[in-house]
Amino acid sequence: IRAGCIRECWLFFQALGKGSSAEQVRRDLAVGMILGHYAYSTRMALWKIFRTRYLNITDPWVQSELIAASQHGPESPELVSLLYLYFALRDKLAFEFATDVVWEKWRAHDLAIGSEDCGRFLDRLSQANESLPKVTAESKGKLIRNTVSTLQDFGLVTGTKHRVISRPAIVPRTAFHLVRLLAGEGLSGKEIADAKDWQLFLWDRNDVSRMLAKLAQEKWIRYEGSGR
């Protein structure tokens, strides 16, 4: 099973799109009607990941959008970029690592990236925030590897033996989701365009402005070159 669990989440959204309730999908998963070739413990672990990342989002519009995106297929940028956005916004380590270390290395054209970068970043976070829970070396190593592997599944990192930073494929609809989320936090105009969250996509201010202009052309937002 890949860390991003993209194909498995796609299957769950497909089942929801066919009219099954979340509880019915969970029951079908438990008895092996879905992913029956996986062990029971693995199936339940996948459901916990799915629930935490996506089902716990309370906005029904987001749920319907994720289901609609799943119709494009498990490897489509429509689905993968949306899964990436909501994963990163709900995983503090992944978000901070992507918008801090990965972003700064991208800007510096230093594209080599690996678990050791995430490890140093986690150490820095722990030193700066003593309230963070202490973890064993084994748990820390697993967290680091899982974070980097998940970002790789979502396209922010590529390569196997030598990992490098790469700009993920982001469709306009995913960018619209982020605009909507930022507006929901009370941001507007220049504040939206300057939000740190865009760095998840490795976009600078010019990249963001071009996308906002495109969203305005689609009449999804109002944008006049300086904001929404």
Side-chain angles (χ1 to χ4, degrees), residues 11-12 28-43 46:
L11 283 172
F12 299 155
D28 289 348
L29 188 64
V31 300
M33 291 180 65
I34 301 175
L35 298 176
H37 55 297
Y38 289 177
Y40 173 80
S41 59
T42 302
R43 297 197 303 271
L46 284 165

Side-chain angles (χ1 to χ4, degrees), residues 46-94:
L46 284 165
W47 182 253
K48 183 178 180 181
I49 290 170
F50 178 68
R51 186 184 67 228
T52 301
R53 290 184 188 174
Y54 308 115
L55 275 192
N56 286 348
I57 299 171
T58 56
D59 187 343
W61 178 80
V62 175
Q63 296 291 338
S64 65
E65 287 277 298
L66 284 162
I67 290 171
S70 75
Q71 302 307 310
H72 293 274
E75 298 178 3
S76 66
E78 288 84 0
L79 176 64
V80 176
S81 64
L82 205 52
L83 292 179
Y84 169 50
L85 174 63
Y86 284 103
F87 157 74
L89 292 177
R90 299 170 78 81
D91 188 299
K92 183 171 178 58
L93 176 59

